[in-house]
Amino acid sequence: MNLQSEKTLRFAKKALESHIVALAADKGIKITKARSQIAADIGVDPSSIRQFLNGEVIKPAPKTMQKYVDWLGKNPETTIDPRDEKPQPTPKEITTSPVAKGTALLVTDDEVAMLIGLLQASESSIRDDYTGFEEDRGHEWGREISIASYQAMYRQEGLLKRLRRKIESQSPCQFKFDTELQSVVPLI
């Protein structure tokens, strides 16, 4: 096998990228951390993998390329055969808002918690804006805001609050704000 051929280089690059992304997704870590773990397994410096994948190094040294190919030979990519039975998804299905006819949007409890946290932050931001305008209006130097602007902010806050409550009511678990994490978390 010619280690410096275009076909081998392309294969190694795509396979290493695939392994790194899969490891990051499986363990829930950053790409850089996954890259350094794979580099340690291979026995090379993480920067050499980064440079190879980013195209900064077109053709790695023959010894490095041999290490890549050997490691990829020992760790083939896992693919799901479409003829095999698909694994059951663990996230809960929310069927009230289908993505396309006949399909359901899969959302985990953590994603619902994140969405609730974002909605609460938006509500708070809007509330801070219009209370700031009300306080400024009492002063001589206060800003002039039209009634339509106030109504739009109140309406937007109300819509966000209604959406947040609807999501909370349809979720199978309860959520609370964790002061240590400074975010909304599901209660288990």
Side-chain angles (χ1 to χ4, degrees):
M1 170 191 282
N2 183 4
L3 296 176
Q4 299 296 322
S5 72
E6 290 296 320
K7 187 176 181 181
T8 305
L9 291 168
R10 211 175 23 244
F11 161 76
K13 189 174 187 177
K14 286 183 180 181
L16 283 171
E17 246 173 21
S18 175
H19 276 288
I20 290 168
V21 170
L23 180 65
D26 289 345
K27 292 192 174 183
I29 57 177
K30 292 183 177 184
I31 296 286
T32 53
K33 181 76 172 170
R35 187 184 311 128
S36 65
Q37 285 182 5
I38 288 179
D41 288 348
I42 294 173
V44 296
D45 188 47
S47 65
S48 65
I49 291 181
R50 179 187 49 81
Q51 291 169 346
F52 178 52
L53 297 180
N54 291 342
E56 297 168 22
V57 172
I58 307 296
K59 293 183 179 183
K63 284 185 178 181
T64 306
M65 193 62 193
Q66 185 64 52
K67 288 180 181 182
Y68 292 162
V69 171
D70 290 344
W71 187 84
L72 289 169
K74 293 175 190 168
N75 301 289
E77 293 181 81
T78 55
T79 57
I80 298 174
D81 190 352
R83 295 171 291 192
D84 291 343
E85 193 174 312
K86 292 185 179 178
Q88 293 297 322
T90 54
K92 292 161 183 60
E93 292 188 25
I94 298 177
T95 56
T96 57
S97 60
V99 175
K101 191 172 185 176
T103 62
L105 179 64
L106 298 177
V107 182
T108 64
D109 289 338
D110 292 334
E111 291 169 331
V112 172
M114 184 174 54
L115 181 60
I116 289 171
L118 290 171
L119 290 170
Q120 284 176 339
S122 298
E123 289 172 36
S124 176
S125 174
I126 291 170
R127 190 176 319 108
D128 291 345
D129 286 346
Y130 70 71
T131 54
F133 289 139
E134 289 171 352
E135 289 172 2
D136 287 350
R137 204 166 83 184
H139 296 90
E140 293 175 7
W141 46 267
R143 296 176 277 182
E144 289 293 320
I145 298 293
S146 69
I147 298 296
S149 296
Y150 276 119
Q151 290 173 345
M153 285 193 286
Y154 279 117
R155 189 171 36 252
Q156 191 174 13
E157 181 192 19
L159 289 172
L160 289 171
K161 194 175 288 188
R162 194 171 346 142
L163 177 62
R164 178 179 51 84
R165 287 181 181 153
K166 188 173 187 178
I167 290 171
E168 286 174 339
S169 70
Q170 291 181 358
S171 178
C173 73
Q174 298 296 317
F175 299 92
K176 76 171 188 120
F177 186 79
D178 188 339
T179 53
E180 279 185 32
L181 297 175
Q182 290 294 305
S183 65
V184 176
V185 294
L187 293 176
I188 300 174

